[in-house]
Amino acid sequence: MSQEVKDVSHSPNKSTTNVVIRERNASNDNESIVTLRHADDELLARLGYKSQFRREFSLFETVAFAFSIMGIVASISSTFIFPLLAGGHVGMVFGWLIPCLFVMTVAASMAELASSMPTSAGLYYFSAKMAPPKYAALASWITGWANVTGQVTLVCSIDFTCAQMITTALNVGSNGSVALGNAPTFGILLAILFTHGIVCSAGTAVLARINIFYVIVNLGATLALIVSLLVLSPPNRVSTKDAFTKFENNTGWANNGWAFLLAFTAPMWTLTGYDSAAHIAEETAGAARAAPIAILVSVAATCSFGWLLSIAASFATVSVTDLLSSDLPLPMGQLLLNVLGQKGMLALWSFIIITQYVTGAAQVVDASRVVFAFARDNALPGSRLWKKFNRHTQTPVNAVWLVVTLSGICGVLGFSSAALSSLAGASVIGLYTSYATPIFLRITSGRNKLVPGPFSLGKWYLPSGIIAVSWVAFIVVLLLFPSDSHPTAAGMNYAVVLVMAVFIFASVSWVVSARKWFEGPISNVEKDMAEKRVLTKESST
């Protein structure tokens, strides 16, 4: 009896103890997060910037953001025509694999820089710090404009392709009776951009949580497409030998080797935007560790799942010629229609559309952070407006709507298929130029300047950087070539026109004006401290 009383008397104390332990653990976790964020803010201050964003992105959410922005299934569906033209089955399988191996060196070099200098300024900040002091501002200027150009044109490319996916679905659902032209497609683009502007104007906490949904949709649709193409294509699928070795040149170039290289366009367009992990660094807890992990994991995952999807598509493609002659805007839509039938195709295609939509939304966030950071250093016309923070969401809402507006203007190029494909090429050229510039400076003038962060390549930074820069130089030249050896005005690659227009603008503005006032990254820490001292003095009096 006494033992029973003893047990009963101790049970409340045990329960109370457990509650206290849980509360203490929760309190310790909160303290750890606060300490981590405080350390992030101190590091940011040493880099020259005061903390303005709320650090709501966790490690997982940062990885999810960088992964979602590449949108595997939607990106491959958008660019499927390139491997079909440039190699057929070989273009699908090895035209994907080979670029991935080289892009990993770009990602590794970028990850090292992002770990050392976790700031939203990202690439142009890295260039300024790695360049010789005399040329720091110029290096920053070139990198910044290349990155802004790539970011904005990529938003337009992603969202215009999303509009094309919607028109493809309408065409299939109506059995071909609804075939929308360029004007309705442009209207859909504007609607998509408008909704993205609303979504991306939300606070950091909302944007961080919604990325979990993004990655679930992205990964789920990718796996569903891989399984569907492999399981449902028999007996109408090609042999293993044909899937990996059958080569078809539909480009118009007589040299098969050169024609195959043009297949690299698809993975290079897909493997963009992973620098986003650096651009949201000021919104990330433990950014010096989270940013490099997000860059490496997202690129490796996209390369791996993308290759599996490309192999599955190769097995399911019975006739490359039939897909290229389809009336649908995107050949992948025709492939799914062949394999799954109308209802199955529309069901899976709807998830691909959603994936492309969320990819565009993530890219708008990324682009807006680049615009904000560049404006914060007074590099853009109207910088005072674009660097302004919304006091309710604590995010650069004005920068979001600038990106949306500029992307809508670029969308006018969609009235020409040649101009639209050139826009996609220009986005890749702009982004990879901005990726390669700080890496080149790191392996030349900046060899002894980098203060290593939690992630460091050590002695391997040099070979990794050399391979990365060499690859980007090669791919930039490749992307300037047309898809035919005898191009007409309608089939010309106008990427060089778009890239040169920005280059000439940036060069002329630098020579005429910017070199006199643009100093590169500008510290706002001292200004913030001075403002606080004034406020303290006023309150004391």
Side-chain angles (χ1 to χ4, degrees):
M1 180 71 177
S2 61
Q3 181 65 38
E4 292 178 0
V5 171
K6 183 178 179 181
D7 290 342
V8 171
S9 64
H10 277 71
S11 59
N13 292 334
K14 184 176 181 181
S15 175
T16 302
T17 301
N18 289 337
V19 171
V20 171
I21 291 174
R22 284 196 298 270
E23 290 179 346
R24 186 176 299 164
N25 288 338
S27 177
N28 289 337
D29 289 342
N30 290 334
E31 289 178 2
S32 299
I33 294 173
V34 171
T35 301
L36 183 63
R37 290 173 176 170
H38 183 66
D40 286 328
D41 292 344
E42 286 186 341
L43 175 57
L44 183 62
R46 289 199 297 273
L47 295 175
Y49 297 116
K50 66 178 181 180
S51 178
Q52 294 175 273
F53 290 95
R54 294 168 180 162
R55 295 187 180 273
E56 300 286 357
F57 277 85
S58 65
L59 170 60
F60 175 76
E61 288 160 347
T62 306
V63 173
F65 183 76
F67 178 73
S68 297
I69 213 167
M70 287 182 274
I72 309 170
V73 64
S75 295
I76 290 181
S77 298
S78 305
T79 58
F80 191 49
I81 191 170
F82 291 106
L84 289 176
L85 289 169
H89 297 276
V90 172
M92 294 181 218
V93 178
F94 296 102
W96 178 273
L97 177 62
I98 293 172
C100 287
L101 300 178
F102 290 99
V103 169
M104 281 304 302
T105 64
V106 180
S109 297
M110 185 191 297
E112 182 182 49
L113 293 169
S115 182
S116 172
M117 298 169 278
T119 166
S120 294
L123 301 163
Y124 79 83
Y125 185 95
F126 305 159
S127 291
K129 298 305 177 183
M130 294 295 103
K134 182 179 179 181
Y135 300 105
L138 177 60
S140 180
W141 181 262
I142 293 172
T143 307
W145 274 106
N147 196 236
V148 168
T149 301
Q151 294 283 351
V152 173
T153 52
L154 186 59
V155 169
C156 179
S157 299
I158 291 171
D159 283 0
F160 201 99
T161 308
C162 186
Q164 288 182 317
M165 289 179 174
I166 293 173
T167 61
T168 298
L170 292 173
N171 187 293
V172 173
S174 64
N175 294 314
S177 62
V178 177
L180 300 180
N182 291 329
T185 304
F186 179 68
I188 296 173
L189 165 69
L190 296 181
I192 292 171
L193 285 170
F194 180 74
T195 58
H196 279 164
I198 295 174
V199 172
C200 299
S201 294
T204 301
V206 175
L207 295 174
R209 303 299 97 79
I210 203 172
N211 270 288
I212 298 174
F213 167 73
Y214 288 178
V215 76
I216 291 173
V217 172
N218 192 350
L219 193 55
T222 301
L223 294 174
L225 184 55
I226 292 172
V227 172
S228 297
L229 291 176
L230 290 177
V231 174
L232 300 178
S233 58
N236 298 318
R237 72 178 182 187
V238 300
S239 64
T240 301
K241 180 180 179 180
D242 284 350
F244 283 89
T245 63
K246 188 175 181 180
F247 183 86
E248 298 181 46
N249 181 359
N250 298 291
T251 62
W253 286 91
N255 187 292
N256 288 338
W258 177 257
F260 168 70
L261 294 178
L262 296 177
F264 293 175
T265 304
M268 292 308 299
W269 191 77
T270 303
L271 294 168
T272 51
Y274 49 88
D275 55 317
S276 58
H279 298 311
I280 62 167
E282 294 179 31
E283 300 169 75
T284 303
R289 175 174 172 268
I293 291 175
I295 292 171
L296 293 171
V297 171
S298 63
V299 173
T302 299
C303 289
S304 301
F305 284 110
W307 196 42
L308 292 176
L309 179 52
S310 297
I311 292 173
S314 183
F315 272 108
T317 301
V318 177
S319 172
V320 171
T321 305
D322 287 348
L323 294 183
L324 289 174
S325 60
S326 171
D327 292 330
L328 297 180
L330 298 173
M332 181 62 81
Q334 185 63 53
L335 177 62
L336 293 184
L337 186 60
N338 295 345
V339 174
L340 306 177
Q342 184 188 52
K343 292 183 179 179
M345 178 271 182
L346 289 174
L348 188 52
W349 197 250
S350 63
F351 284 100
I352 295 176
I353 292 173
I354 294 172
T355 302
Q356 187 75 341
Y357 180 85
V358 299
T359 298
Q363 178 56 34
V364 170
V365 173
D366 183 20
S368 68
R369 289 348 184 224
V370 174
V371 168
F372 158 77
F374 212 32
R376 181 172 58 183
D377 291 317
N378 299 322
L380 295 177
S383 288
R384 185 175 182 180
L385 182 61
W386 313 129
K387 66 183 177 182
K388 190 174 182 180
F389 255 56
N390 183 283
R391 59 191 180 91
H392 298 293
T393 64
Q394 287 297 295
T395 55
V397 173
N398 290 354
V400 169
W401 286 100
L402 176 62
V403 169
V404 167
T405 302
L406 293 176
S407 298
I409 294 172
C410 290
V412 175
L413 296 175
F415 284 91
S416 165
S417 58
L420 181 64
S421 61
S422 300
L423 185 69
S427 68
V428 177
I429 292 171
L431 287 172
Y432 270 90
T433 298
S434 68
Y435 295 175
T437 303
I439 297 173
F440 172 76
L441 293 170
R442 163 75 172 114
I443 62 176
T444 52
S445 59
R447 290 190 180 188
N448 300 316
K449 291 185 176 182
L450 188 77
V451 178
F455 173 78
S456 174
L457 291 175
K459 64 180 181 180
W460 295 103
Y461 85 91
L462 188 58
S464 177
I466 291 173
I467 294 171
V469 172
S470 300
W471 171 253
V472 172
F474 163 73
I475 209 68
V476 164
V477 174
L478 177 69
L479 290 173
L480 292 175
F481 276 80
S483 58
D484 195 299
S485 57
H486 302 287
T488 61
M492 181 61 185
N493 184 352
Y494 293 98
V496 64
V497 177
L498 299 172
V499 171
M500 286 304 297
V502 176
F503 177 78
I504 291 172
F505 168 78
S507 300
V508 171
S509 61
W510 173 262
V511 172
V512 173
S513 175
R515 64 186 177 88
K516 301 175 183 177
W517 52 264
F518 182 69
E519 302 174 1
I522 302 172
S523 175
N524 60 8
V525 175
E526 291 298 327
K527 180 181 178 181
D528 184 52
M529 293 178 63
E531 290 175 350
K532 288 181 178 179
R533 284 194 293 268
V534 171
L535 290 174
T536 302
K537 184 177 180 179
E538 290 178 350
S539 61
S540 62
T541 56

Short mmCIF file of all heavy atoms in Angstrom, two decimals, residues 144-198:
data_model
loop_
_atom_site.label_atom_id
_atom_site.label_comp_id
_atom_site.label_asym_id
_atom_site.label_seq_id
_atom_site.Cartn_x
_atom_site.Cartn_y
_atom_site.Cartn_z
N GLY A 144 27.89 42.60 -61.98
CA GLY A 144 26.54 42.94 -61.56
C GLY A 144 25.58 43.07 -62.71
O GLY A 144 24.47 42.53 -62.68
N TRP A 145 26.00 43.77 -63.77
CA TRP A 145 25.12 43.94 -64.92
C TRP A 145 24.88 42.63 -65.66
O TRP A 145 23.78 42.37 -66.16
CB TRP A 145 25.68 45.00 -65.86
CG TRP A 145 25.26 46.39 -65.46
CD1 TRP A 145 26.03 47.34 -64.86
CD2 TRP A 145 23.96 46.95 -65.59
NE1 TRP A 145 25.30 48.47 -64.61
CE2 TRP A 145 24.01 48.26 -65.05
CE3 TRP A 145 22.75 46.49 -66.10
CZ2 TRP A 145 22.90 49.10 -65.02
CZ3 TRP A 145 21.64 47.33 -66.06
CH2 TRP A 145 21.72 48.61 -65.53
N ALA A 146 25.90 41.79 -65.74
CA ALA A 146 25.73 40.48 -66.38
C ALA A 146 24.73 39.64 -65.59
O ALA A 146 23.87 38.97 -66.17
CB ALA A 146 27.07 39.75 -66.47
N ASN A 147 24.83 39.70 -64.27
CA ASN A 147 23.94 38.91 -63.43
C ASN A 147 22.51 39.42 -63.47
O ASN A 147 21.56 38.64 -63.58
CB ASN A 147 24.46 38.89 -61.99
CG ASN A 147 23.81 37.80 -61.16
OD1 ASN A 147 23.22 38.06 -60.11
ND2 ASN A 147 23.92 36.56 -61.61
N VAL A 148 22.33 40.73 -63.41
CA VAL A 148 20.99 41.32 -63.48
C VAL A 148 20.33 40.97 -64.82
O VAL A 148 19.16 40.59 -64.88
CB VAL A 148 21.05 42.86 -63.30
CG1 VAL A 148 19.71 43.48 -63.66
CG2 VAL A 148 21.41 43.20 -61.86
N THR A 149 21.11 41.07 -65.90
CA THR A 149 20.58 40.73 -67.23
C THR A 149 20.13 39.28 -67.28
O THR A 149 19.03 38.96 -67.75
CB THR A 149 21.66 40.96 -68.31
OG1 THR A 149 22.06 42.33 -68.28
CG2 THR A 149 21.13 40.63 -69.69
N GLY A 150 20.99 38.38 -66.80
CA GLY A 150 20.65 36.96 -66.80
C GLY A 150 19.46 36.66 -65.93
O GLY A 150 18.59 35.85 -66.30
N GLN A 151 19.37 37.31 -64.78
CA GLN A 151 18.27 37.05 -63.84
C GLN A 151 16.93 37.45 -64.44
O GLN A 151 15.95 36.68 -64.39
CB GLN A 151 18.50 37.83 -62.54
CG GLN A 151 19.70 37.38 -61.72
CD GLN A 151 19.44 36.10 -60.95
OE1 GLN A 151 18.31 35.61 -60.87
NE2 GLN A 151 20.47 35.54 -60.37
N VAL A 152 16.85 38.64 -65.00
CA VAL A 152 15.58 39.14 -65.54
C VAL A 152 15.15 38.35 -66.77
O VAL A 152 13.98 37.97 -66.90
CB VAL A 152 15.69 40.64 -65.88
CG1 VAL A 152 14.44 41.13 -66.60
CG2 VAL A 152 15.91 41.46 -64.60
N THR A 153 16.09 38.10 -67.69
CA THR A 153 15.73 37.34 -68.89
C THR A 153 15.38 35.90 -68.56
O THR A 153 14.55 35.29 -69.25
CB THR A 153 16.88 37.37 -69.92
OG1 THR A 153 18.11 36.95 -69.29
CG2 THR A 153 17.07 38.75 -70.49
N LEU A 154 15.96 35.36 -67.50
CA LEU A 154 15.60 34.00 -67.10
C LEU A 154 14.17 33.94 -66.57
O LEU A 154 13.44 32.98 -66.84
CB LEU A 154 16.58 33.48 -66.03
CG LEU A 154 16.41 32.01 -65.63
CD1 LEU A 154 16.58 31.09 -66.84
CD2 LEU A 154 17.40 31.63 -64.53
N VAL A 155 13.77 34.97 -65.81
CA VAL A 155 12.37 35.03 -65.35
C VAL A 155 11.43 35.00 -66.55
O VAL A 155 10.45 34.24 -66.57
CB VAL A 155 12.13 36.31 -64.52
CG1 VAL A 155 10.63 36.51 -64.27
CG2 VAL A 155 12.86 36.23 -63.19
N CYS A 156 11.72 35.82 -67.55
CA CYS A 156 10.87 35.88 -68.74
C CYS A 156 10.85 34.53 -69.46
O CYS A 156 9.80 34.05 -69.88
CB CYS A 156 11.37 36.98 -69.68
SG CYS A 156 10.40 37.12 -71.19
N SER A 157 12.02 33.90 -69.61
CA SER A 157 12.11 32.62 -70.32
C SER A 157 11.29 31.55 -69.61
O SER A 157 10.56 30.78 -70.25
CB SER A 157 13.57 32.18 -70.42
OG SER A 157 14.34 33.11 -71.13
N ILE A 158 11.42 31.49 -68.29
CA ILE A 158 10.69 30.48 -67.51
C ILE A 158 9.18 30.70 -67.62
O ILE A 158 8.42 29.76 -67.89
CB ILE A 158 11.13 30.53 -66.04
CG1 ILE A 158 12.57 30.04 -65.89
CG2 ILE A 158 10.20 29.67 -65.17
CD1 ILE A 158 13.15 30.25 -64.51
N ASP A 159 8.75 31.94 -67.43
CA ASP A 159 7.32 32.20 -67.42
C ASP A 159 6.69 32.13 -68.81
O ASP A 159 5.53 31.74 -68.95
CB ASP A 159 7.05 33.57 -66.79
CG ASP A 159 7.16 33.53 -65.28
OD1 ASP A 159 7.45 32.43 -64.75
OD2 ASP A 159 6.96 34.56 -64.61
N PHE A 160 7.45 32.48 -69.85
CA PHE A 160 6.91 32.35 -71.20
C PHE A 160 6.74 30.87 -71.54
O PHE A 160 5.75 30.47 -72.17
CB PHE A 160 7.82 33.02 -72.23
CG PHE A 160 7.11 33.35 -73.52
CD1 PHE A 160 6.64 34.63 -73.76
CD2 PHE A 160 6.87 32.37 -74.48
CE1 PHE A 160 5.95 34.94 -74.92
CE2 PHE A 160 6.19 32.67 -75.65
CZ PHE A 160 5.72 33.96 -75.87
N THR A 161 7.69 30.05 -71.10
CA THR A 161 7.56 28.62 -71.33
C THR A 161 6.39 28.05 -70.55
O THR A 161 5.70 27.14 -71.02
CB THR A 161 8.86 27.90 -70.92
OG1 THR A 161 9.97 28.52 -71.56
CG2 THR A 161 8.82 26.44 -71.33
N CYS A 162 6.14 28.58 -69.36
CA CYS A 162 4.97 28.17 -68.59
C CYS A 162 3.69 28.49 -69.36
O CYS A 162 2.75 27.68 -69.41
CB CYS A 162 4.96 28.88 -67.23
SG CYS A 162 3.65 28.33 -66.12
N ALA A 163 3.67 29.66 -70.00
CA ALA A 163 2.51 30.04 -70.83
C ALA A 163 2.37 29.07 -72.00
O ALA A 163 1.25 28.67 -72.36
CB ALA A 163 2.68 31.47 -71.32
N GLN A 164 3.48 28.67 -72.61
CA GLN A 164 3.43 27.71 -73.71
C GLN A 164 2.92 26.35 -73.24
O GLN A 164 2.21 25.65 -73.98
CB GLN A 164 4.82 27.55 -74.32
CG GLN A 164 5.29 28.75 -75.15
CD GLN A 164 6.64 28.52 -75.76
OE1 GLN A 164 7.56 28.00 -75.12
NE2 GLN A 164 6.80 28.90 -77.02
N MET A 165 3.27 25.98 -72.02
CA MET A 165 2.77 24.72 -71.46
C MET A 165 1.26 24.75 -71.30
O MET A 165 0.56 23.76 -71.55
CB MET A 165 3.43 24.44 -70.11
CG MET A 165 4.89 24.07 -70.19
SD MET A 165 5.58 23.79 -68.55
CE MET A 165 7.22 23.21 -68.99
N ILE A 166 0.74 25.90 -70.89
CA ILE A 166 -0.71 26.05 -70.74
C ILE A 166 -1.39 25.96 -72.10
O ILE A 166 -2.42 25.29 -72.24
CB ILE A 166 -1.03 27.39 -70.04
CG1 ILE A 166 -0.51 27.36 -68.59
CG2 ILE A 166 -2.53 27.66 -70.06
CD1 ILE A 166 -0.62 28.68 -67.87
N THR A 167 -0.82 26.60 -73.12
CA THR A 167 -1.42 26.52 -74.46
C THR A 167 -1.34 25.10 -75.02
O THR A 167 -2.23 24.66 -75.74
CB THR A 167 -0.71 27.49 -75.43
OG1 THR A 167 0.67 27.15 -75.55
CG2 THR A 167 -0.83 28.93 -74.94
N THR A 168 -0.28 24.38 -74.66
CA THR A 168 -0.16 22.97 -75.07
C THR A 168 -1.28 22.14 -74.46
O THR A 168 -1.91 21.31 -75.14
CB THR A 168 1.20 22.39 -74.65
OG1 THR A 168 2.25 23.11 -75.31
CG2 THR A 168 1.30 20.92 -75.00
N ALA A 169 -1.55 22.37 -73.17
CA ALA A 169 -2.62 21.64 -72.48
C ALA A 169 -3.97 21.95 -73.10
O ALA A 169 -4.81 21.05 -73.29
CB ALA A 169 -2.62 21.99 -71.00
N LEU A 170 -4.20 23.20 -73.44
CA LEU A 170 -5.48 23.59 -74.07
C LEU A 170 -5.63 22.94 -75.44
O LEU A 170 -6.72 22.51 -75.82
CB LEU A 170 -5.54 25.11 -74.20
CG LEU A 170 -5.65 25.91 -72.89
CD1 LEU A 170 -5.54 27.40 -73.16
CD2 LEU A 170 -6.96 25.59 -72.18
N ASN A 171 -4.54 22.85 -76.16
CA ASN A 171 -4.57 22.23 -77.47
C ASN A 171 -4.91 20.75 -77.38
O ASN A 171 -5.76 20.24 -78.12
CB ASN A 171 -3.21 22.43 -78.16
CG ASN A 171 -3.20 21.97 -79.60
OD1 ASN A 171 -3.31 20.79 -79.89
ND2 ASN A 171 -3.05 22.91 -80.52
N VAL A 172 -4.25 20.06 -76.46
CA VAL A 172 -4.50 18.62 -76.30
C VAL A 172 -5.89 18.37 -75.76
O VAL A 172 -6.61 17.48 -76.23
CB VAL A 172 -3.44 18.00 -75.36
CG1 VAL A 172 -3.79 16.54 -75.04
CG2 VAL A 172 -2.05 18.09 -75.98
N GLY A 173 -6.30 19.17 -74.76
CA GLY A 173 -7.62 18.98 -74.15
C GLY A 173 -8.77 19.22 -75.10
O GLY A 173 -9.86 18.66 -74.94
N SER A 174 -8.55 20.06 -76.10
CA SER A 174 -9.61 20.38 -77.07
C SER A 174 -9.46 19.58 -78.36
O SER A 174 -10.13 19.86 -79.35
CB SER A 174 -9.58 21.88 -77.41
OG SER A 174 -8.36 22.21 -78.06
N ASN A 175 -8.56 18.58 -78.35
CA ASN A 175 -8.29 17.77 -79.54
C ASN A 175 -7.86 18.61 -80.74
O ASN A 175 -8.22 18.34 -81.89
CB ASN A 175 -9.52 16.93 -79.91
CG ASN A 175 -9.85 15.89 -78.85
OD1 ASN A 175 -8.96 15.19 -78.37
ND2 ASN A 175 -11.11 15.81 -78.46
N GLY A 176 -7.11 19.66 -80.44
CA GLY A 176 -6.54 20.48 -81.50
C GLY A 176 -7.40 21.64 -81.95
O GLY A 176 -6.96 22.44 -82.78
N SER A 177 -8.61 21.77 -81.41
CA SER A 177 -9.49 22.86 -81.86
C SER A 177 -9.09 24.21 -81.28
O SER A 177 -9.43 25.26 -81.84
CB SER A 177 -10.94 22.55 -81.49
OG SER A 177 -11.08 22.44 -80.08
N VAL A 178 -8.37 24.20 -80.15
CA VAL A 178 -7.88 25.44 -79.55
C VAL A 178 -6.38 25.52 -79.75
O VAL A 178 -5.61 24.78 -79.13
CB VAL A 178 -8.22 25.52 -78.04
CG1 VAL A 178 -7.62 26.79 -77.44
CG2 VAL A 178 -9.71 25.46 -77.82
N ALA A 179 -5.96 26.38 -80.64
CA ALA A 179 -4.53 26.57 -80.92
C ALA A 179 -4.23 28.06 -80.78
O ALA A 179 -4.44 28.84 -81.71
CB ALA A 179 -4.18 26.07 -82.31
N LEU A 180 -3.77 28.44 -79.60
CA LEU A 180 -3.53 29.85 -79.32
C LEU A 180 -2.24 30.33 -79.96
O LEU A 180 -1.22 29.63 -79.94
CB LEU A 180 -3.49 30.09 -77.81
CG LEU A 180 -4.77 29.72 -77.04
CD1 LEU A 180 -4.57 30.00 -75.56
CD2 LEU A 180 -5.95 30.51 -77.58
N GLY A 181 -2.25 31.54 -80.48
CA GLY A 181 -1.08 32.13 -81.12
C GLY A 181 -0.22 32.90 -80.14
O GLY A 181 -0.35 32.77 -78.91
N ASN A 182 0.63 33.74 -80.69
CA ASN A 182 1.59 34.49 -79.87
C ASN A 182 0.93 35.51 -78.95
O ASN A 182 1.34 35.69 -77.80
CB ASN A 182 2.59 35.21 -80.79
CG ASN A 182 3.51 34.23 -81.50
OD1 ASN A 182 3.82 33.17 -80.96
ND2 ASN A 182 3.95 34.58 -82.70
N ALA A 183 -0.09 36.21 -79.44
CA ALA A 183 -0.73 37.25 -78.63
C ALA A 183 -1.40 36.68 -77.37
O ALA A 183 -1.17 37.20 -76.26
CB ALA A 183 -1.74 38.04 -79.47
N PRO A 184 -2.24 35.61 -77.48
CA PRO A 184 -2.81 35.03 -76.27
C PRO A 184 -1.75 34.47 -75.32
O PRO A 184 -1.89 34.56 -74.10
CB PRO A 184 -3.72 33.92 -76.81
CG PRO A 184 -4.02 34.30 -78.21
CD PRO A 184 -2.79 34.98 -78.70
N THR A 185 -0.69 33.89 -75.90
CA THR A 185 0.39 33.36 -75.07
C THR A 185 1.07 34.48 -74.29
O THR A 185 1.40 34.33 -73.10
CB THR A 185 1.43 32.63 -75.94
OG1 THR A 185 0.78 31.61 -76.71
CG2 THR A 185 2.50 31.99 -75.08
N PHE A 186 1.25 35.62 -74.94
CA PHE A 186 1.83 36.78 -74.27
C PHE A 186 0.91 37.27 -73.15
O PHE A 186 1.37 37.65 -72.07
CB PHE A 186 2.07 37.91 -75.27
CG PHE A 186 2.64 39.17 -74.67
CD1 PHE A 186 3.92 39.19 -74.15
CD2 PHE A 186 1.88 40.32 -74.60
CE1 PHE A 186 4.45 40.35 -73.60
CE2 PHE A 186 2.39 41.48 -74.04
CZ PHE A 186 3.69 41.49 -73.54
N GLY A 187 -0.39 37.22 -73.39
CA GLY A 187 -1.36 37.60 -72.35
C GLY A 187 -1.27 36.68 -71.15
O GLY A 187 -1.34 37.14 -69.99
N ILE A 188 -1.11 35.38 -71.40
CA ILE A 188 -0.96 34.42 -70.29
C ILE A 188 0.33 34.71 -69.53
O ILE A 188 0.37 34.63 -68.29
CB ILE A 188 -0.97 32.98 -70.83
CG1 ILE A 188 -2.32 32.65 -71.47
CG2 ILE A 188 -0.66 31.98 -69.71
CD1 ILE A 188 -2.37 31.31 -72.19
N LEU A 189 1.39 35.05 -70.27
CA LEU A 189 2.66 35.42 -69.63
C LEU A 189 2.47 36.57 -68.66
O LEU A 189 2.95 36.52 -67.51
CB LEU A 189 3.69 35.79 -70.69
CG LEU A 189 4.95 36.53 -70.19
CD1 LEU A 189 5.81 35.60 -69.36
CD2 LEU A 189 5.75 37.12 -71.35
N LEU A 190 1.78 37.61 -69.09
CA LEU A 190 1.56 38.77 -68.22
C LEU A 190 0.77 38.40 -66.97
O LEU A 190 1.05 38.91 -65.88
CB LEU A 190 0.84 39.88 -69.01
CG LEU A 190 1.61 40.48 -70.19
CD1 LEU A 190 0.78 41.58 -70.86
CD2 LEU A 190 2.96 41.04 -69.74
N ALA A 191 -0.22 37.52 -67.14
CA ALA A 191 -1.01 37.07 -65.99
C ALA A 191 -0.14 36.30 -65.00
O ALA A 191 -0.25 36.48 -63.78
CB ALA A 191 -2.18 36.21 -66.47
N ILE A 192 0.73 35.45 -65.52
CA ILE A 192 1.63 34.67 -64.66
C ILE A 192 2.58 35.62 -63.91
O ILE A 192 2.78 35.48 -62.69
CB ILE A 192 2.44 33.67 -65.51
CG1 ILE A 192 1.51 32.59 -66.06
CG2 ILE A 192 3.54 33.02 -64.66
CD1 ILE A 192 2.19 31.67 -67.08
N LEU A 193 3.14 36.58 -64.63
CA LEU A 193 4.06 37.52 -64.00
C LEU A 193 3.37 38.34 -62.91
O LEU A 193 3.95 38.60 -61.85
CB LEU A 193 4.64 38.47 -65.06
CG LEU A 193 5.71 37.88 -65.98
CD1 LEU A 193 6.01 38.83 -67.13
CD2 LEU A 193 6.99 37.58 -65.20
N PHE A 194 2.12 38.73 -63.16
CA PHE A 194 1.38 39.52 -62.18
C PHE A 194 1.17 38.72 -60.89
O PHE A 194 1.37 39.23 -59.78
CB PHE A 194 0.04 39.95 -62.76
CG PHE A 194 -0.80 40.77 -61.81
CD1 PHE A 194 -0.48 42.09 -61.52
CD2 PHE A 194 -1.91 40.21 -61.17
CE1 PHE A 194 -1.23 42.84 -60.63
CE2 PHE A 194 -2.67 40.95 -60.28
CZ PHE A 194 -2.33 42.27 -60.01
N THR A 195 0.77 37.45 -61.04
CA THR A 195 0.57 36.63 -59.84
C THR A 195 1.89 36.37 -59.12
O THR A 195 1.93 36.31 -57.89
CB THR A 195 -0.10 35.29 -60.20
OG1 THR A 195 0.72 34.59 -61.16
CG2 THR A 195 -1.48 35.50 -60.80
N HIS A 196 2.96 36.24 -59.88
CA HIS A 196 4.27 36.08 -59.25
C HIS A 196 4.65 37.32 -58.46
O HIS A 196 5.27 37.22 -57.39
CB HIS A 196 5.34 35.79 -60.32
CG HIS A 196 5.38 34.36 -60.74
ND1 HIS A 196 6.01 33.93 -61.89
CD2 HIS A 196 4.87 33.24 -60.18
CE1 HIS A 196 5.88 32.64 -62.01
NE2 HIS A 196 5.18 32.19 -60.98
N GLY A 197 4.32 38.47 -58.99
CA GLY A 197 4.61 39.71 -58.26
C GLY A 197 3.91 39.74 -56.92
O GLY A 197 4.49 40.17 -55.91
N ILE A 198 2.67 39.27 -56.89
CA ILE A 198 1.90 39.24 -55.63
C ILE A 198 2.52 38.25 -54.65
O ILE A 198 2.76 38.56 -53.47
CB ILE A 198 0.43 38.88 -55.91
CG1 ILE A 198 -0.24 39.98 -56.75
CG2 ILE A 198 -0.33 38.66 -54.61
CD1 ILE A 198 -1.64 39.64 -57.21
#
